[in-house]
Amino acid sequence: MSSTIVEQLAATSSQHVSKVMPAPYHVHSWRPWMSLYGLRLRTQGSAQPEVVLAPIQKLLPPELTTTFLKYLPITTLAHCQCVCKQWNILGQFPPLWQSACQEAFSYMEYDKLCRILRTCHRGSWRDLYLDRPHMRFDGVYVSRNTYLRTGLVEWRVKNPVHLVCYFRYYRFFPDGQFVYRTSPDVIRNAVRSLQLSPEKVKADAQVETGVWRLNGSALQTVMIYANSMNTEIRAKLKLRSTSRGANNRLDVESIVSFDKADGISIPVISMSNFVCSSACQCTSADSL
């Protein structure tokens, strides 16, 4: 009797538990991290994939390549940095840009240049060369100018008008001097007379000489004509860049004729802005 009651109570309790706590069920779904199970992570000291070097990288070690890059102009050095990743890294070597800065800012004392390097450019010679305005000595600044001129009246044409085009050329030197020429000749023909230093071009009547001074981006030039010792041509220009470190534009702010004896300034006829043409472009450019 007692055993029968116990069995009935056990069956009743099992039914009550099954109603209160239902049987668990499992959902078989894919998880992204399951594909990582069983994989071994690569340690820091594991072998890296072999880098395939170009033939020129196998023949020239980095030390020898840096020596060659040291003798290149800064514009050519920038072109070499576009060849490959290794040359891009070697082209950022600080001594290469230091020599370029010393040439570009030769008119400035070295202590002052180093002070500007530390305070304004975080000790980077490359940033100093690219971000601080400086004159370019590898070419000429050219200004293309035009004006209208009335011609002779003929029986076929009444009141003829001619459009006259001429060029103004500036070439600057690191010692603070420059040569200037006004000519109808295009760059390819006029640049030959501007390749000599100011001391050697004084015999050329078509070329004038003068001095320049750069303060930030403000450029001031003073030119004395050979046949007049009291008359000066003073110009105020603004140096700017169309891209970082280009320094290829000179905007004309004012040009006056100054008489030192009387102290009178007379504005000169306005002219167009100047565009820098590098030495390699001067031999192939016909006009601007």
Side-chain angles (χ1 to χ4, degrees):
M1 181 69 179
S2 60
S3 62
T4 305
I5 295 174
V6 171
E7 292 176 358
Q8 291 178 356
L9 292 175
T12 304
S13 63
S14 63
Q15 293 177 0
H16 178 71
V17 170
S18 62
K19 293 180 181 179
V20 175
M21 299 180 61
Y25 62 95
H26 300 279
V27 178
H28 298 281
S29 60
W30 181 82
R31 298 292 188 272
W33 55 84
M34 290 182 178
S35 60
L36 301 178
Y37 291 161
L39 298 180
R40 300 182 60 182
L41 299 179
R42 181 180 298 176
T43 60
Q44 187 175 2
S46 59
Q48 299 293 333
E50 184 180 359
V51 179
V52 180
L53 299 178
I56 190 172
Q57 297 176 356
K58 296 179 181 179
L59 296 176
L60 296 178
E63 297 80 5
L64 188 58
T65 305
T66 306
T67 304
F68 291 155
L69 296 178
K70 181 175 63 176
Y71 296 98
L72 297 178
I74 196 64
T75 53
T76 308
L77 176 62
H79 294 163
C80 291
Q81 287 187 267
C82 301
V83 173
C84 60
K85 183 182 296 185
Q86 184 187 21
W87 281 24
N88 186 17
I89 297 174
L90 296 178
Q92 300 179 10
F93 192 48
L96 299 177
W97 294 92
Q98 180 179 0
S99 58
C101 289
Q102 291 178 352
E103 180 182 357
F105 302 100
S106 57
Y107 55 90
M108 188 182 302
E109 296 181 359
Y110 184 75
D111 296 338
K112 181 180 179 180
L113 183 63
C114 293
R115 185 166 59 253
I116 296 175
L117 174 69
R118 293 190 301 267
T119 57
C120 301
H121 302 281
R122 299 169 297 178
S124 174
W125 290 102
R126 185 174 182 270
D127 292 343
L128 173 63
Y129 185 88
L130 295 177
D131 297 335
R132 187 170 183 83
H134 61 274
M135 301 305 302
R136 293 183 56 175
F137 310 124
D138 61 339
V140 296
Y141 290 87
V142 188
S143 172
R144 184 178 183 271
N145 303 268
T146 58
Y147 66 92
L148 296 177
R149 179 181 178 182
T150 57
L152 298 177
V153 179
E154 298 179 357
W155 67 276
R156 292 183 179 180
V157 180
K158 294 182 179 180
N159 300 329
V161 178
H162 303 284
L163 180 64
V164 181
C165 175
Y166 68 98
F167 300 89
R168 297 177 183 267
Y169 300 96
Y170 270 113
R171 181 172 185 187
F172 298 90
F173 293 89
D175 58 354
Q177 300 186 68
F178 71 90
V179 293
Y180 171 84
R181 180 182 178 184
T182 301
S183 173
D185 298 333
V186 295
I187 304 176
R188 181 175 55 187
N189 300 330
V191 74
R192 300 172 185 175
S193 61
L194 303 175
Q195 293 178 349
L196 301 178
S197 60
E199 293 78 9
K200 297 181 180 180
V201 301
K202 290 183 178 180
D204 193 347
Q206 298 179 348
V207 180
E208 305 291 343
T209 61
V211 294
W212 63 273
R213 183 179 62 181
L214 182 65
N215 185 11
S217 60
L219 175 65
Q220 297 181 356
T221 63
V222 178
M223 178 177 56
I224 302 177
Y225 284 114
N227 55 357
S228 178
M229 300 302 298
N230 294 327
T231 304
E232 296 179 349
I233 302 297
R234 298 183 177 182
K236 291 183 179 180
L237 310 171
K238 184 178 180 181
L239 180 64
R240 64 181 178 91
S241 303
T242 56
S243 59
R244 188 187 181 193
N247 297 297
N248 56 349
R249 294 292 189 272
L250 282 178
D251 297 336
V252 180
E253 295 184 351
S254 65
I255 298 179
V256 298
S257 176
F258 180 75
D259 192 346
K260 294 190 296 183
D262 300 334
I264 301 176
S265 299
I266 302 175
V268 182
I269 186 172
S270 61
M271 65 178 67
S272 303
N273 296 332
F274 290 82
V275 180
C276 182
S277 180
S278 61
C280 59
Q281 295 174 344
C282 290
T283 58
S284 58
D286 291 336
S287 61
L288 294 180

